[in-house]
Amino acid sequence: MDILLIGGLWLDASTWDDVVPELTALGHRPVPVALPGQGDGSRSATLADQVAAVLAALDAASGEVMVVGHSAACTLAWLAADARPERVAKVALVGGFPAADGAAYADFFEVTDGVMPFPGWGPFEGADSADLDEEARRAFAAAAIPVPEGVTKGVVRLTDERRHDVPVVVVCPEFGPAEAKAWIDAGDVPELARARNVTFADLDSGHWPMLTRPRELAGLLAAEAKAERQAGGWAEAREG
């Protein structure tokens, strides 16, 4: 299966470098998505530009496609399901949840000179960063790419109710499946409350498992892709 890999804030496509060979060895075709404004030097990129890049990668893929979003990019993965519900076999949400229609994409931290830089480790102390040593933290902060304001403050627009038929797996790294389910049941994640096929997968890591647990993450994603292939009939069911 083609597996699109979309990194979250401050990351470029190289964040998946250790996951790609693992997925390839397991028989899949991983496709890290290069997002405008995150690694190409553009400070004027918008959320629409990033959505377009994801959809271009999806349209270029063949057969069944699983779309993986990490952290804030869980919303990008969900926007792909909204735009191409007939093409997406499954959405995997790693350490995050999709924003609702009308919400800002990722207006989380202060914007300076038109970009939102990495805010430092303060907001991520605890379970998020527990598996990153000091050297890894320094390397992450040094490589972090300020995200353009046009991305972070872009407004999410969801239009196709068929997205709720797309199977979703919530990959739970720094939080557990029980917590994720409780948030959804409480109405904190309205998009997943309306989704018809949501499962949960536990992963013992911090917020960036592609960096700290790449083999385990790849194995989990491969298992989810295999399960979806074995289930079969996903496109026919949604088209019918």
Side-chain angles (χ1 to χ4, degrees):
M1 183 181 290
D2 283 10
I3 301 178
L4 304 191
L5 302 168
I6 314 169
L9 300 174
W10 311 299
L11 304 173
D12 63 15
S14 70
T15 195
W16 302 102
D17 280 357
D18 292 336
V19 176
V20 165
E22 299 288 345
L23 282 173
T24 301
L26 292 168
H28 296 283
R29 296 179 296 277
V31 182
V33 179
L35 296 174
Q38 291 181 222
D40 62 356
S42 172
R43 297 170 68 93
S44 61
T46 65
L47 177 60
D49 294 331
Q50 293 202 346
V51 173
V54 172
L55 294 182
L58 177 56
D59 291 342
S62 61
E64 300 171 307
V65 182
M66 183 163 75
V67 183
V68 180
H70 165 256
S71 192
C74 289
T75 297
L76 287 175
W78 195 237
L79 284 163
D82 180 70
R84 304 284 193 276
E86 72 286 350
R87 292 281 288 117
V88 179
K90 177 175 278 188
V91 171
L93 307 175
V94 181
F97 302 93
D101 180 63
Y105 172 66
D107 190 15
F108 302 143
F109 303 104
E110 183 178 353
V111 169
T112 303
D113 296 330
V115 295
M116 188 177 73
F118 178 62
W121 290 106
F124 303 105
E125 288 300 334
D128 283 346
S129 59
D131 59 350
L132 291 169
D133 60 23
E134 286 304 315
E135 181 179 354
R137 291 186 183 206
R138 284 194 295 270
F140 183 102
I145 301 163
V147 182
E149 182 177 15
V151 173
T152 64
K153 294 187 177 182
V155 177
V156 174
R157 294 300 182 196
L158 298 162
T159 62
D160 195 328
E161 291 297 311
R162 290 181 298 164
R163 69 185 179 276
H164 296 121
D165 293 323
V166 178
V168 178
V169 58
V170 179
V171 180
C172 306
E174 74 272 22
F175 51 84
E179 291 175 279
K181 188 175 187 304
W183 294 331
I184 295 169
D185 290 346
D188 296 335
V189 191
E191 280 299 308
L192 295 192
R194 297 169 64 192
R196 297 176 180 88
N197 184 350
V198 180
T199 57
F200 302 87
D202 201 10
L203 181 62
D204 184 17
S205 77
H207 187 62
W208 294 274
M210 69 282 283
L211 303 179
T212 61
R213 300 288 188 276
R215 176 172 293 180
E216 292 85 349
L217 177 59
L220 188 157
L221 295 175
E224 291 295 329
K226 180 179 179 180
E228 200 53 43
R229 288 184 65 88
Q230 290 176 337
W234 58 273
E236 292 83 354
R238 274 177 264 153
E239 289 172 357

